[in-house]
């Protein structure tokens, strides 16, 4: 910050370069800025000119130019520059990680670089959108309420989140990001082994070009067809419960601490505890139920896009996805509630989620919107899967400490988290035993 007094006059004296906020000077390019401020500012000016020139191109021309000139790194198996979609059909090109980080500070986006062609192919297909009818009444109230919900343990949420948020960061490109995903994988595997369910439940990491892995637990339904080998079964209907496992510090993601206790350690351990209670309770659904913990949500929904585009390409029949991202912060204890998101989701599935909240939890809900690509449900919506999204409160009242070193456990309510676990368990059980119409 002490350099700001020298930098501001230089910016003000440079035509066509906007005055930036202090946060901009603390980006990953900080060393370039401090070594030679004038050259750095001239670089910004050049970038502004290039952006203006790109604006004169049609979107199709811009994308074509992007892929024609982009450099593919065979070592990382990815492009150096990134195509970021900030709303449907609206793009920003980030030349490097610093520009990706800057866009992240400005708002949500999907990094569609690796899946652009697949999305374009989907648009060309004359495939009817998936329309699913969901229950209008619950069918397993006694089993869920009297047998399963009482087995959810707040102590498990505390223990797991204490471990999960102890990593310096769960930034998806970092070593500790990898370590945290492997720790979570082992916790999930222990649940399955403790119940003796290795034969019908698969737990596996989903690899990415970056360090951190996504993790998937698959409970094959009795309606699955095929070999007795669970890995060769063909599913008729799949229900997905999801949360992202990574964290980030928006100032310097690869350097500064990002405990991510709420975002999204809370969501990760919430669905883990629901998974544990279901498996310990002998959950054997008719439909296949999968629990997904996605890597790299903070990088532009990278992990969920990788998983769900692959599912779509393999024609996996996902009938519902419930995403939970931040489940632990309560701004006003006198007005505690769920936040149910209503934009970029499936309306029918969202109505069913609200039914589950009413029947199986002790909290009300408030409907709200969160904008384009605000969490991993957007990856499901993007490929035509019905998705829903529940968060800890209305969007304007969520945790103000996320993406900083202050996103810590002491600011969270584990009682509130337990309500989200109840929602998760009941959702999985009801749809796991539901007969979806073909």
């Amino acid at each position: 910050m002490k350099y700001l007094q020298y930098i501001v006059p230089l910016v003000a004296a440079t035509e066509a370069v906007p005055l930036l906020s202090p946060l901009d000077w603390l980006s990953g390019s900080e060393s370039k800025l401090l070594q030679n401020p004038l050259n750095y500012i001239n670089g910004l000016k050049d970038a502004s000119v290039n952006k203006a020139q790109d604006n004169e191109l049609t979107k199709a021309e811009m994308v074509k130019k992007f892929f024609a000139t982009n450099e593919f790194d065979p070592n990382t198996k990815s492009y150096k520059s990134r195509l970021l979609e900030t709303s449907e059909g609206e793009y920003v090109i980030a030349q490097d990680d610093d520009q990706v980080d800057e866009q992240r500070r400005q708002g949500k986006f999907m990094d569609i670089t690796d899946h652009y062609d697949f999305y374009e192919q989907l648009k060309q297909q004359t495939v009817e959108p998936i329309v699913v009818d969901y229950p209008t009444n619950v069918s397993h109230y006694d089993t869920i309420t009297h047998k399963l919900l009482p087995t959810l343990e707040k102590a498990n949420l505390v223990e797991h989140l204490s471990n999960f948020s102890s990593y310096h960061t769960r930034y998806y490109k970092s070593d500790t990001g990898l370590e945290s995903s492997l720790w979570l994988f082992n916790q999930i595997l222990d649940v399955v082994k403790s119940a003796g369910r290795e034969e019908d439940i698969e737990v596996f990491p989903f690899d990415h070009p970056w360090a951190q892995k996504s993790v998937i637990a698959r409970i094959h339904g009795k309606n699955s067809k095929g070999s007795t080998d669970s890995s060769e079964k063909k599913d008729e209907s799949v229900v997905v419960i999801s949360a992202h496992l990574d964290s980030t510090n928006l100032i310097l993601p690869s350097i500064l601490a990002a405990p991510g206790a709420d975002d999204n350690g809370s969501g990760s351990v919430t669905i883990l505890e629901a998974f544990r209670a279901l498996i310990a309770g002998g959950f054997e659904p008719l439909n296949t139920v999968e629990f997904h913990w996605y890597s790299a949500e903070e990088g532009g929904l990278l992990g969920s896009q990788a998983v769900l585009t692959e599912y779509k390409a393999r024609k996996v029949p996902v009938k519902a996805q419930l995403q939970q991202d931040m489940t632990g912060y309560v701004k006003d204890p006198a007005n505690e509630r769920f936040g149910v998101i209503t934009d970029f989701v499936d309306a029918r599935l969202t109505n069913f989620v609200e039914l589950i909240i009413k029947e199986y939890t002790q909290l009300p809900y408030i409907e709200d919107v969160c904008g384009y690509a605000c969490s991993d449900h957007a990856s499901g919506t993007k490929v035509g899967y019905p998705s829903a999204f529940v968060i800890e409160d209305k969007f304007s009242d969520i945790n103000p400490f996320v993406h900083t070193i202050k996103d810590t456990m002491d600011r969270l309510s584990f009682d509130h988290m337990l309500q989200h676990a109840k929602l998760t368990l009941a959702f999985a059980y009801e749809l796991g035993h539901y007969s979806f119409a073909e």
Side-chain angles (χ1 to χ4, degrees):
M1 298 299 290
K2 66 183 179 179
Y3 299 98
L4 204 57
Q5 61 180 310
Y6 304 108
I7 294 167
V8 170
L10 285 171
V11 176
T14 307
E15 282 188 10
V17 179
L19 183 62
L20 303 180
S21 70
L23 275 180
D24 293 304
W25 305 115
L26 297 176
S27 70
S29 297
E30 189 177 42
S31 60
K32 302 174 187 176
L33 170 66
L34 298 182
Q35 289 171 8
N36 196 323
L38 188 57
N39 283 352
Y40 185 83
I41 292 167
N42 284 335
L44 288 177
K45 183 177 180 180
D46 292 341
S48 298
V49 172
N50 290 334
K51 183 176 181 180
Q53 291 173 343
D54 284 342
N55 286 340
E56 296 175 1
L57 301 174
T58 66
K59 292 175 186 177
E61 290 171 338
M62 183 183 77
V63 171
K64 183 177 180 181
K65 176 183 176 183
F66 168 78
F67 284 107
T69 59
N70 205 354
E71 179 181 347
F72 185 81
D73 187 341
N75 295 319
T76 62
K77 299 179 181 179
S78 64
Y79 288 99
K80 179 180 178 181
S81 298
R82 312 300 298 178
L83 185 65
L84 312 181
E85 189 171 52
T86 56
S87 62
E88 189 66 43
E90 297 295 329
Y91 309 118
V92 171
I93 292 175
Q95 300 295 340
D96 52 31
D97 286 347
D98 295 329
Q99 291 187 13
V100 172
D101 293 341
E102 174 55 32
Q103 185 62 38
R104 183 68 181 82
R105 284 191 286 271
Q106 293 181 25
K108 292 284 189 176
F109 60 87
M110 296 182 75
D111 182 342
I112 64 170
T113 312
D114 301 322
H115 308 290
Y116 176 81
D117 287 342
F118 182 77
Y119 294 141
E120 289 301 300
Q121 290 171 13
L122 286 182
K123 291 178 184 178
Q124 300 304 316
Q125 296 174 7
T126 55
V127 178
E128 291 295 322
I130 297 175
V131 178
V132 180
D133 289 322
Y134 300 97
T136 55
N137 296 288
V138 300
S139 300
H140 305 277
Y141 184 85
D142 287 342
T143 299
I144 294 172
T145 301
H146 301 302
K147 179 184 176 182
L148 294 174
L149 293 185
T151 68
L152 292 168
E153 295 286 347
K154 185 165 64 173
N156 290 335
L157 295 170
V158 174
E159 179 183 357
H160 287 142
L161 189 55
S162 177
N163 284 303
F164 203 45
S165 61
S166 68
Y167 292 92
H168 178 71
T169 181
R170 298 192 306 277
Y171 180 57
Y172 68 101
K173 294 183 178 181
S174 67
D175 290 340
T176 51
L178 170 61
E179 292 166 10
S180 63
S181 64
L182 294 177
W183 176 87
L184 183 59
F185 167 78
N186 285 322
Q187 303 309 304
I188 301 162
L189 194 60
D190 285 347
V191 168
V192 175
K193 289 181 177 179
S194 295
R197 297 284 298 275
E198 297 96 324
E199 290 299 317
D200 66 317
I201 301 177
E202 300 174 75
V203 181
F204 55 94
F206 189 103
D207 293 334
H208 300 289
W210 54 90
Q212 189 180 62
K213 301 176 185 297
S214 296
V215 182
I216 295 174
R218 178 177 296 143
I219 310 165
H220 279 281
K222 293 181 180 180
N223 288 342
S224 298
K225 296 179 179 180
S227 166
T228 55
D229 182 348
S230 64
S231 65
E232 296 180 11
K233 286 181 178 292
K234 181 179 180 181
D235 300 312
E236 290 189 332
S237 295
V238 177
V239 176
V240 173
I241 311 291
S242 59
H244 76 86
L245 61 85
D246 60 315
S247 68
T248 194
N249 187 306
L250 282 190
I251 297 177
L252 290 171
S254 60
I255 298 175
L256 296 182
D262 197 23
D263 189 10
N264 184 35
S266 63
S268 293
V269 303
T270 290
I271 71 170
L272 173 60
E273 178 58 12
F275 176 77
R276 183 205 62 78
L278 284 166
I279 303 310
F283 181 50
E284 294 183 347
L286 297 178
N287 304 309
T288 293
V289 176
E290 298 189 5
F291 283 72
H292 292 188
W293 289 264
Y294 299 125
S295 170
E297 186 267 357
E298 304 289 4
L301 316 189
L302 293 170
S304 58
Q305 286 188 83
V307 172
L308 294 173
T309 54
E310 187 205 78
Y311 275 38
K312 190 69 174 181
R314 290 195 289 113
K315 299 182 179 179
V316 176
V318 174
K319 298 296 177 65
Q321 177 196 8
L322 172 61
Q323 169 76 2
Q324 291 186 84
D325 186 344
M326 301 166 60
T327 63
Y329 182 79
V330 178
K331 181 179 181 180
D332 179 8
N335 194 26
E336 187 177 355
R337 59 202 174 182
F338 292 97
V340 176
I341 300 304
T342 59
D343 60 336
F344 302 100
V345 294
D346 184 90
R348 291 180 177 85
L349 182 58
T350 300
N351 289 338
F352 175 71
V353 168
E354 293 176 346
L355 172 67
I356 294 295
I357 291 173
K358 292 174 184 176
E359 295 288 343
Y360 291 112
T361 79
Q362 287 70 54
L363 293 179
Y365 63 84
I366 183 170
E367 293 184 343
D368 200 7
V369 296
C370 68
Y372 188 75
C374 67
S375 196
D376 290 307
H377 63 286
S379 296
T381 299
K382 186 80 170 173
V383 296
Y385 289 144
S387 71
F389 179 34
V390 177
I391 198 167
E392 61 201 8
D393 203 337
K394 65 182 296 187
F395 222 68
S396 60
D397 289 340
I398 63 173
N399 194 329
F401 301 104
V402 299
H403 304 150
T404 75
I405 61 175
K406 294 183 179 181
D407 184 4
T408 49
M409 284 179 58
D410 57 299
R411 293 181 165 87
L412 304 184
S413 165
F414 287 90
D415 288 321
H416 190 76
M417 222 176 290
L418 195 63
Q419 294 293 322
H420 279 267
K422 291 180 178 182
L423 161 63
T424 306
L425 185 153
F427 179 93
Y429 198 94
E430 288 283 354
L431 288 190
H433 288 90
Y434 179 62
S435 295
F436 288 99
E438 294 301 323

